Amino acid sequence: MPTNMSLFSVNAILIVSTDDRSRILTRYYSAPHAPPSSSSHPGANPYPSVKEQKAFEKGLLEKTNKQTSDVILYDGRVVVFKMEGDVMLYVVGGGDENEIMLFGVVLALRDALAILLKNSTDKRTLVENYDLVSLAIDEIIDDGIILETDPVVVASRVSKPPAQDITSVKNIDLSEQGLLNAWEFGKLKLAERMRQL
């Protein structure tokens, strides 16, 4: 049993295009409470520069492009991945991390994106809805700590308000006469309250 237990379990989450091998969204995490004595602790970010990150992503994409499994060990890290349309979704954890837990994260991300983007998880849709994708990742993982793996809960926290709530705003009269009526109504109600005191 490890003596250095932590909730930190995800080193990186990546969304990479398989067509042109470009990064769509990448997040690398370092453990928030690193031991001060060592710079090579399990939660340390092994890819601190963008150049190293891109080299890691390129090698990872080459290795997983023709794979039939969903879990590999790459560069001493457990990597779980799913291909959706023309993009690859990766979750990278430490070498001793639980693969099933990481696989739950990649499935939660895939299913939450399917709900949010109406089963259209491709590069173009992800770029157009970058805000929703980024918020979904933030709801699933915070600083390398897994917060939520239920895609319905993630999608409900991220999604835009339903259209039926917006229709009630359309019934408000914002013309000059409508505003004067609202002012008179407010004055009348305030005067009634003042008389009651």
Side-chain angles (χ1 to χ4, degrees), residues 127-188:
V127 170
E128 287 174 356
N129 296 291
Y130 191 84
D131 56 343
L132 293 177
V133 176
S134 182
L135 286 172
I137 289 174
D138 288 342
E139 287 295 328
I140 296 171
I141 300 169
D142 183 34
D143 283 336
I145 299 170
I146 300 169
L147 299 176
E148 184 66 60
T149 57
D150 185 359
V152 176
V153 172
V154 171
S156 69
R157 290 180 184 165
V158 171
S159 64
K160 297 173 183 165
Q164 67 264 21
D165 293 345
I166 296 172
T167 58
S168 62
V169 175
K170 293 180 182 176
N171 297 334
I172 297 175
D173 183 15
L174 294 177
S175 66
E176 187 177 346
Q177 184 60 42
L179 293 174
L180 287 173
N181 290 343
W183 174 256
E184 291 300 322
F185 180 75
K187 278 185 7 183
L188 180 67

Side-chain angles (χ1 to χ4, degrees), residues 15 23-27 113 117 123-137 158:
I15 302 177
R23 312 166 100 186
I24 296 173
L25 188 143
T26 59
R27 299 262 171 90
L113 291 177
L117 305 176
K123 180 181 176 182
R124 180 174 174 242
T125 309
L126 290 173
V127 170
E128 287 174 356
N129 296 291
Y130 191 84
D131 56 343
L132 293 177
V133 176
S134 182
L135 286 172
I137 289 174
V158 171

Side-chain angles (χ1 to χ4, degrees), residues 1 3-5 16 18 75 88 106 109 146 157 163 168 187:
M1 183 168 180
T3 58
N4 192 7
M5 295 192 63
V16 181
T18 57
D75 199 21
M88 290 286 266
V106 81
L109 177 62
I146 300 169
R157 290 180 184 165
S168 62
K187 278 185 7 183

Side-chain angles (χ1 to χ4, degrees), residues 8-121:
F8 181 82
S9 55
V10 176
N11 288 2
I13 189 159
L14 316 167
I15 302 177
V16 181
S17 172
T18 57
D19 292 341
D20 56 358
R21 298 173 182 232
S22 63
R23 312 166 100 186
I24 296 173
L25 188 143
T26 59
R27 299 262 171 90
Y28 287 85
Y29 304 105
S30 292
H33 303 292
S37 61
S38 170
S39 64
S40 63
H41 63 282
N45 183 0
Y47 315 105
S49 72
V50 175
K51 183 179 178 182
E52 292 171 341
Q53 291 173 3
K54 286 185 176 182
F56 171 73
E57 293 161 16
K58 180 182 177 191
L60 186 61
L61 191 59
E62 287 173 0
K63 178 146 182 159
T64 59
N65 208 10
K66 307 247 189 275
Q67 288 280 334
T68 57
S69 65
D70 294 326
V71 180
I72 63 167
L73 187 64
Y74 180 74
D75 199 21
R77 308 251 168 227
V78 174
V79 179
V80 294
F81 59 95
K82 276 289 186 191
M83 183 161 186
E84 274 301 302
D86 59 350
V87 296
M88 290 286 266
L89 309 173
Y90 295 101
V91 176
V92 182
D96 58 346
E97 203 54 61
N98 185 343
E99 301 90 7
I100 297 172
M101 186 171 59
L102 295 177
F103 194 67
V105 171
V106 81
L107 289 179
L109 177 62
R110 181 196 66 183
D111 295 343
L113 291 177
I115 293 169
L116 289 168
L117 305 176
K118 298 174 181 46
N119 291 324
S120 178
T121 310

